[in-house]
Amino acid sequence: MKCKLFIHATNIHQGGGYSLLSALLDACPGEQEVVALLDRRIPKPTNIPGTMFIKFVQPSIRQRFYAEWWLWQNVRSQDTVLCFGNLPPLFKLRGHVIVFVQNRYLVERVALRSFYIKARLRLGLERLWLSWRAGNVDEFVVQTPSMRTALLSSGCVVKQPVHVRPFVKVSGGYQRTMSLKHVRQDGHKRYDFFYPASGDPHKNHRRLVKAWCLLAEQGLFPSLCLTLDANVSSELCIWIDEQKLRYGLKLENVGFLPHDKALLLYVQARALIYPSLFESFGLPLIEASQSCLPVLAAELDYVRDVLDPEQTFNPESSISIVRAVKRFLGEGVGPLPLLDATQFMASVLGKVE
């Protein structure tokens, strides 16, 4: 019998994960028999080949457990199973199992106390699931070397290989194509800076907005576009609105956008700014490069894994973010003026104005 490819993605329905899943489904060869278990909340894929069977699963514990049992019943020894949502199958399957791990929270023991209780419970459960059922996996796939290091250090991997396969929707156009001087002088953009990110704590919005407040105190008011969902991140959005009003910030939150609409904003900005504290991949970094957009980003491994940004900063320091923004805008940030011993003594004695 001909082997089948099972794509298990019942917990993917939005954001970058959904964008990659859509591209993956479109790339399935027409001659390959594919069975896709998908979240009921996503739109039904179009142009499905006759060799693809889609089984939609409701986002409930009961239905997802049933999907796991269904896999156990239907996967044969010659089949391949691609688990696209970070988690191994609940049951030991007869086929070859590949798990694509994208969520860094599951492999790094980062404190979850800054999350709402529902998200904390979900992430805690998924961490347990990954470590408990990792023995059901034949190989892992991640997108960057630093994510591979994090997964290997997590204790989940025993003897399975961990492959680094940077996966994006379109792989071309991944290099700088214009000079930084030219971009600085481009005053015809809608925004100076764009940060497409959810309101999760590691996305670091508070330090970014504090940097904009410090810039305002220095008489600089660059515009910034955010994509925060006010329903999901209500407390953060209220705080940002308060800072915007207090300091007169040129800051616009356009709300959550589907991935295709978010892509349109890249061409409306002069630069991407990316202060996230950690990522499994950092897809917007790639998309910015493909859109010929300069990048200001955290000086962290996940950034250097995928590109060489135009400016970097310490993401835990709003002052460092301010300095990077000023360098990009061509606002001089000179070195600290030093005094020799004679000048210092003169200042102490009050002989220097």
Side-chain angles (χ1 to χ4, degrees):
M1 295 179 68
K2 193 173 182 180
C3 66
K4 293 181 181 178
L5 170 63
F6 288 79
I7 299 176
H8 187 32
T10 57
N11 58 347
I12 302 292
H13 69 281
Q14 63 181 4
Y18 171 62
S19 173
L20 294 181
L21 175 62
S22 297
L24 185 73
L25 293 173
D26 289 340
C28 289
E31 67 276 8
Q32 173 67 56
E33 286 192 58
V34 178
V35 179
L37 281 75
L38 306 178
D39 193 309
R40 172 61 72 182
R41 290 171 290 185
I42 70 172
K44 184 177 180 179
T46 57
N47 302 319
I48 301 172
T51 54
M52 180 181 291
F53 169 72
I54 295 180
K55 182 177 178 62
F56 283 105
V57 178
Q58 294 288 352
S60 68
I61 295 176
R62 179 180 177 182
Q63 288 300 309
R64 286 182 175 170
F65 179 84
Y66 171 74
E68 295 287 338
W69 178 84
W70 188 91
L71 272 178
W72 179 65
Q73 290 286 318
N74 287 275
V75 173
R76 301 162 302 170
S77 59
Q78 68 268 34
D79 296 332
T80 297
V81 181
L82 173 59
C83 296
F84 203 67
N86 300 293
L87 300 177
L90 186 60
F91 304 106
K92 182 69 175 178
L93 305 180
R94 290 184 288 271
H96 184 82
V97 176
I98 304 169
V99 174
F100 185 55
V101 183
Q102 308 171 67
N103 191 337
R104 202 152 187 158
Y105 274 117
L106 303 187
V107 298
E108 289 194 3
R109 292 298 179 254
V110 181
L112 303 177
R113 57 181 175 272
S114 55
F115 282 92
Y116 292 115
I117 184 65
K118 184 177 180 180
R120 263 186 287 172
L121 290 173
R122 177 180 58 79
L123 288 170
L125 178 61
E126 289 181 352
R127 282 178 174 179
L128 289 174
W129 186 322
L130 177 57
S131 60
W132 177 46
R133 299 284 85 184
N136 293 342
V137 180
D138 295 296
E139 60 180 286
F140 289 96
V141 174
V142 296
Q143 291 172 290
T144 63
S146 61
M147 187 63 178
R148 181 178 187 272
T149 299
L151 180 57
L152 289 171
S153 301
S154 69
C156 297
V157 177
V158 183
K159 296 181 180 179
Q160 304 99 321
V162 180
H163 303 291
V164 178
R165 292 175 182 150
F167 169 36
V168 294
K169 190 171 183 177
V170 179
S171 61
Y174 179 40
Q175 63 275 324
R176 294 181 185 172
T177 57
M178 63 176 66
S179 70
L180 188 58
K181 181 179 179 181
H182 171 77
V183 175
R184 282 177 181 157
Q185 294 173 345
D186 187 353
H188 303 291
K189 300 292 186 178
R190 182 178 177 184
Y191 305 107
D192 292 313
F193 297 94
F194 178 40
Y195 183 34
S198 68
D200 291 339
H202 72 279
K203 297 297 186 179
N204 209 17
H205 282 88
R206 288 184 183 269
R207 284 197 183 94
L208 177 62
V209 173
K210 285 178 181 177
W212 249 244
C213 296
L214 292 174
L215 286 165
E217 290 177 347
Q218 299 175 32
L220 296 173
F221 296 88
S223 55
L224 172 64
C225 177
L226 305 176
T227 59
L228 293 168
D229 188 330
N231 295 320
V232 176
S233 305
S234 57
E235 183 179 335
L236 175 61
C237 289
I238 290 171
W239 178 82
I240 289 175
D241 286 341
E242 291 172 350
Q243 307 313 306
K244 179 180 176 180
L245 182 63
R246 178 180 177 184
Y247 290 92
L249 306 180
K250 293 182 180 178
L251 191 157
E252 182 179 356
N253 178 27
V254 297
F256 170 77
L257 295 174
H259 186 255
D260 58 339
K261 292 186 178 180
L263 286 175
L264 298 176
L265 287 177
Y266 284 96
V267 298
Q268 300 182 44
R270 294 172 63 190
L272 178 83
I273 190 162
Y274 211 77
S276 180
L277 295 171
F278 66 87
E279 296 288 338
S280 63
F281 191 39
L283 184 60
L285 299 172
I286 304 293
E287 293 172 339
S289 294
Q290 293 175 328
S291 301
C292 304
L293 200 64
V295 174
L296 290 73
E299 183 55 68
L300 292 172
D301 288 346
Y302 81 83
V303 174
R304 293 291 182 180
D305 279 340
V306 298
L307 53 70
D308 176 24
E310 278 72 14
Q311 297 288 345
T312 63
F313 49 79
N314 174 5
E316 297 187 356
S317 167
S318 293
I319 293 174
S320 182
I321 298 173
V322 165
R323 289 171 175 163
V325 169
K326 291 178 72 174
R327 289 194 300 270
F328 175 78
L329 295 175
E331 298 288 337
V333 184
L336 193 68
L338 300 179
L339 304 176
D340 60 24
T342 301
Q343 292 169 319
F344 178 76
M345 182 57 71
S347 69
V348 170
L349 297 175
K351 295 182 179 179
V352 175
E353 294 182 1

